[in-house]
Structures are given as structure tokens and as C-alpha cells.
């Protein structure tokens, strides 16, 4: 692990707008403010009216680098939200209530916090805090998913004691976690600018007849997380995908269904790519000939003859330019590391992400993963249970600073 001071170094001299919204944990935002200032950031606090029900603006004015702002209209500046939004290197919302998350997700800007959020192109980090029922409400879940797909970073709440003595998920993350996440976002901000990245996502579907297909359980969440993260970090991203989910607005989506279609789209896009990430679960076999009409049950059990699909990753490895960086995935149910290492060598990839698809919290469909990263020089990095969003950034960190012998893009 990096020493703490190194982690926080990315905050030094950076302009952070700290938005505080109205939850009981607004008092903890005071500590977030102090820690950001201590780390060398220039902090401009903004409080909603509701936040001021819990903590006074004077407290933030005393601790921050500028007086706290509370209104679109009452301060000395005519249009504070554009000045704040344009000048920020990072906007942090802590705590972020269900209300501000909802307004931000739907483009409603009716106070200084929400207007600043819409007026900025800087990365945004939200630290939600609310009662468990609200945190788990489908409206909040969907709004956060929408924001995450647009590249908004989320520090998930913790479980613990909540207002009123209840216990459950929804307690604001500890101030030191929020500040560390802010530093991490800043250290990655724009670090993939100018890189052309191709990502594949989802499982391919190989037709048996016009109705049925051979498919797999891949949800595409890992590929989408990588595409979103790469776009948020400044890359020019093409996503070749079989599934459709909200995605960062700067990602270009190419919809495909079969392994053949994915091969054609990916190999074409890869020609001008610096990085290719094969996160898709491509079928290994397909029916040799799809029936032109629906197979009838009355005709008895059909005999379906299979043939191999193109191994896209292998083809990419064969055609790889010296300055191209290729990432593969190995979904395994046993001996994850050994199997991933064998595929890494066989397919000439630079980085193989071995993931365990046996346990319920890892692999297909879920939001979390357990992965081991293997590089072509024998480097091994193992991660315990992490969210796919976080794993996406960890994979892209390797793309940014590959092993020197790889000769991949800086
Ligand atoms: O050998 P295996 O299929 O397990 O390798 C998995 C890796 O190869 C993944 O990155 C997957 O996207 C890729 N793959 C591919 N074309 C196939 C099968 C797998 O690109 N036909």
C-alpha cells in the first residue's frame, strides 16, 4: 500500500468545491472540509438550505479556503455556479441526500449545489447518506446508476448507526475515506486522455433458430464499468456490446449479437486503438447452421451440430501492434491463476484478468468481483472482493502504467 501522504498528494493545490446537503451527517462534512484543506486543497464550500438546518455556514467559512456560499443569488458574485463549476478540479457532494442525487440525475438545478453540478466539467464525487429504506429504494438505486454511468464517482455509504437509533446501510462513509477517494479521483482525472480504447461487453448469442440461441450469463457490467471509467478518465472509447445499459455519454456504442459480429466490429475498431479490453463472454461454439424456421417440438429432439467461433482475443493478439496494449479476461471456476496464466501466454495478451465465477459475489451478473491481474512479465496482483467499478479503475491503472518492457502507451 502507498503511504498515506502519497495518496493525498493529488489534492495539493487543487480546487475542490465541497457541496454539503441536508442530512444529519452534514456535521461530518466539517471533518471532510478540514482534511481536504490539511491535504493542501483549495476548498470552496457550498451549503443547501437543508444542510444549514444541521450545520452552520460559519463553521465551513472558518475552516475552508473561501467563505461558504449558500445561495445562487445572495452572494457577492452574479453567477456563482458557473464560476465555481468552471474553476473546480473536483466537486465533492458529502453528504449527498436522496434529493440531491435525484435532482442531479435528472438535470434539475434549483439551488447553488445543483446548478454547480450541472455547470461543471470537473469530475464529481458523491458520498450518499440516508436511511436504509431510502438507500435501497429503486428510485435512488436507478438515479445513482445513471450518475455512475455518466462517470460520477460514488463513495458508498457504510453500515452502522443511523439517525433515530436505527442500524443499517446508509451511514455516510468516514471522512478519511471520502478524502482518500477524492485524491484517487484527482490522480486519475484525464490520465487516459488521447488514448483510443476499445472495450467489449456482454455474452454473445449464437442462433439455433430464429427464436432460440446459445448464450451465457454475462451481464456486461464489467465491460460497461471499464468503458465508463475509461471515458471518465479522458479516453476516446468504443464499446462493442451485446447488452444495453446506461453508459457514459462520450462512449461510442456498437451493438452486436453474435461472435462473428463482435469479431468484425472489434477487429475493425482495434486497428486504430491503443488499448483493447476483451471483457465480453464470447461463445466458444455455435450451431453450424441455424435453422431458418423455428424448430418444432413435435419433430423430436433436434441434433445441433456445433462449430468453433473465432477466438477474437487470439486474433487480436496475433495482429497486435508493438504499441498496442491488450487486456483479456479469464472467467474460471477453478485454478483461476494457472488457467489465466496459460491463456495469457497462448493469446499474446499484455494483461489477463482472471476472475472467479464460482462464488455468488463474484463474476456473472453481480456488481462485485474477485480478480487476479497477471501481466506478460510474470507480475501478479490479487484483489479480494471489489466492486466492478473499482476493478475497472484498477485495470485501467495498469493500462496507464504498464510494465516498461511492454512498450505500451504512457
Ligand atoms: O479461452 P477463454 O475463452 O476462456 O478466454 C477468455 C478471453 O478470451 C476473454 O477475454 C474473452 O473475451 C476472449 N474470447 C474471445 N473470443 C472467443 C472466446 C473468448 O475473444 N471466441
Amino acid at each position: 500500500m502507498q503511504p498515506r501522504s502519497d495518496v493525498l498528494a493529488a489534492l495539493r493545490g487543487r480546487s475542490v468545491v465541497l457541496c454539503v446537503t441536508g442530512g444529519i451527517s452534514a456535521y461530518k462534512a466539517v471533518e471532510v472540509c478540514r482534511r481536504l484543506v490539511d491535504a493542501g486543497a483549495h476548498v470552496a464550500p457550498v451549503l443547501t438550505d437543508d444542510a444549514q438546518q444541521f450545520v452552520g455556514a460559519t463553521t465551513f467559512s472558518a475552516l475552508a479556503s473561501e467563505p461558504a456560499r449558500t445561495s445562487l443569488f445572495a452572494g457577492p458574485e452574479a453567477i456563482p455556479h458557473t464560476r465555481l463549476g468552471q474553476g473546480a478540479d473536483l466537486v465533492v457532494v458529502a453528504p449527498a441526500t436522496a434529493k440531491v442525487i435525484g435532482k442531479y440525475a435528472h438535470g434539475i438545478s434549483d439551488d447553488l449545489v445543483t446548478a454547480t453540478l450541472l455547470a461543471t466539467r470537473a469530475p464529481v464525487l458523491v458520498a450518499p447518506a440516508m436511511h436504509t429504506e431510502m438507500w435501497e429504494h429503486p428510485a435512488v438505486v436507478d438515479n445513482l446508476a445513471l450518475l455512475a454511468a455518466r462517470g460520477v464517482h460514488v463513495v458508498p455509504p457504510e453500515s452502522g448507526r443511523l439517525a433515530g437509533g436505527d442500524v443499517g446501510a446508509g451511514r455516510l462513509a468516514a471522512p478519511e475515506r471520502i478524502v482518500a477517494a477524492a485524491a484517487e479521483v484527482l490522480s486519475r482525472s484525464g490520465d487516459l486522455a488521447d488514448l483510443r480504447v476499445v472495450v467489449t461487453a456482454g455474452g454473445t448469442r449464437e442462433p439455433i433458430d430464429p427464436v432460440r440461441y446459445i448464450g451465457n450469463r454475462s451481464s456486461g457490467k464489467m465491460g460497461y464499468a471499464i468503458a465508463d471509467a475509461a471515458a471518465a478518465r479522458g479516453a476516446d472509447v468504443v464499446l462493442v456490446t451485446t447488452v444495453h445499459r446506461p453508459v457514459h455519454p462520450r462512449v461510442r456504442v456498437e451493438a452486436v449479437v453474435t461472435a462473428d459480429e463482435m469479431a468484425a466490429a472489434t477487429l475493425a475498431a482495434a486497428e486504430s486503438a491503443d488499448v483493447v479490453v476483451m471483457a465480453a463472454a464470447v461463445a466458444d461454439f455455435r450451431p453450424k447452421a441455424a435453422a431458418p424456421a423455428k424448430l418444432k417440438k413435435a419433430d423430436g429432439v433436434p441434433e445441433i451440430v456445433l462449430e468453433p467461433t473465432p477466438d477474437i482475443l487470439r486474433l487480436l493478439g496475433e495482429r497486435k501492434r508493438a504499441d498496442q496494449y491488450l487486456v483479456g479476461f479469464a472467467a474460471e471456476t477453478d485454478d483461476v491463476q494457472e488457467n489465466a496464466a496459460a491463456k495469457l501466454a497462448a493469446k499474446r495478451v499484455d494483461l489477463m484478468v482472471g476472475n472467479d465465477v464460482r462464488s455468488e459475489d463474484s463474476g456473472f451478473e453481480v456488481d462485485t468481483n474477485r480478480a487476479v491481474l497477471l501481466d506478460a512479465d510474470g507480475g501478479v496482483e490479487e484483489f479480494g472482493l471489489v466492486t466492478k467499478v473499482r476493478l475497472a479503475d484498477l485495470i485501467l491503472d495498469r493500462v496507464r502504467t504498464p510494465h516498461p518492457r511492454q512498450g505500451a502507451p504512457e
Side-chain angles (χ1 to χ4, degrees), residues 28-81:
K28 291 190 196 165
V30 176
E31 179 74 11
V32 173
C33 179
R34 196 185 59 77
R35 284 175 182 261
L36 288 170
V37 171
D38 285 352
H42 179 99
V43 182
V46 181
L47 280 75
T48 60
D49 290 347
D50 290 351
Q52 293 169 75
Q53 298 290 327
F54 297 94
V55 61
T58 315
T59 308
F60 286 93
S61 294
L63 291 171
S65 320
E66 301 184 14
R69 291 175 176 80
T70 56
S71 166
L72 268 167
F73 308 108
E77 306 140 309
I79 36 174
H81 58 295

Side-chain angles (χ1 to χ4, degrees), residues 73-331:
F73 308 108
E77 306 140 309
I79 36 174
H81 58 295
T82 51
R83 202 194 70 67
L84 283 170
Q86 288 166 356
D89 294 312
L90 174 70
V91 179
V92 177
V93 190
T97 57
K99 175 171 151 183
V100 78
I101 289 167
K103 287 200 290 185
Y104 183 26
H106 296 282
I108 297 166
S109 64
D110 60 356
D111 60 15
L112 186 51
V113 164
T114 47
T116 302
L117 286 169
L118 296 195
T120 194
R121 293 205 175 122
V124 175
L125 176 72
V126 301
M130 63 199 75
H131 247 72
T132 312
E133 292 84 348
M134 296 173 84
W135 172 242
E136 291 174 353
H137 193 284
V140 176
V141 172
D142 287 355
N143 287 337
L144 260 183
L146 199 56
L147 292 178
R150 291 180 191 150
V152 171
H153 303 270
V154 180
V155 191
E158 297 169 354
S159 276
R161 206 152 62 90
L162 304 166
D166 290 343
V167 175
R171 192 172 70 170
L172 183 71
E176 59 268 31
R177 273 189 56 214
I178 297 172
V179 173
E184 208 170 279
V185 171
L186 278 171
S187 73
R188 291 178 172 136
S189 165
D191 67 340
L192 303 182
D194 305 326
L195 279 191
R196 283 160 303 181
V197 179
V198 176
V199 184
T200 64
T204 62
R205 296 191 291 278
E206 312 300 329
I208 295 170
D209 65 18
V211 178
R212 306 175 181 96
Y213 60 83
I214 294 178
N216 61 64
R217 289 176 52 206
S218 171
S219 61
K221 285 182 179 174
M222 192 65 241
Y224 269 76
I226 293 168
D228 285 339
R233 291 167 72 163
D236 178 4
V237 184
V238 174
L239 176 66
V240 181
T241 179
T242 63
V243 291
H244 301 285
R245 315 168 58 83
V247 70
H248 192 286
R250 287 201 302 102
V251 171
R252 274 176 294 142
V253 174
E254 288 201 27
V256 295
V257 176
T258 62
D260 259 357
E261 289 170 12
M262 183 170 278
T266 307
L267 292 169
E271 275 177 26
S272 57
D274 301 297
V275 180
V276 183
V277 184
M278 276 300 303
V282 186
D284 291 323
F285 304 103
R286 66 178 165 220
K288 199 161 185 172
K294 186 183 170 192
L295 297 173
K296 300 269 188 306
K297 201 164 26 174
D299 294 340
V301 180
E303 240 174 58
I304 300 169
V305 180
L306 301 179
E307 66 179 4
T309 55
D311 189 328
I312 308 168
L313 188 58
R314 190 180 290 272
L315 291 170
L316 288 164
E318 283 165 13
R319 296 175 189 189
K320 189 159 68 86
R321 299 192 316 270
D323 63 347
Q324 204 172 40
Y325 196 77
L326 187 55
V327 182
F329 274 71

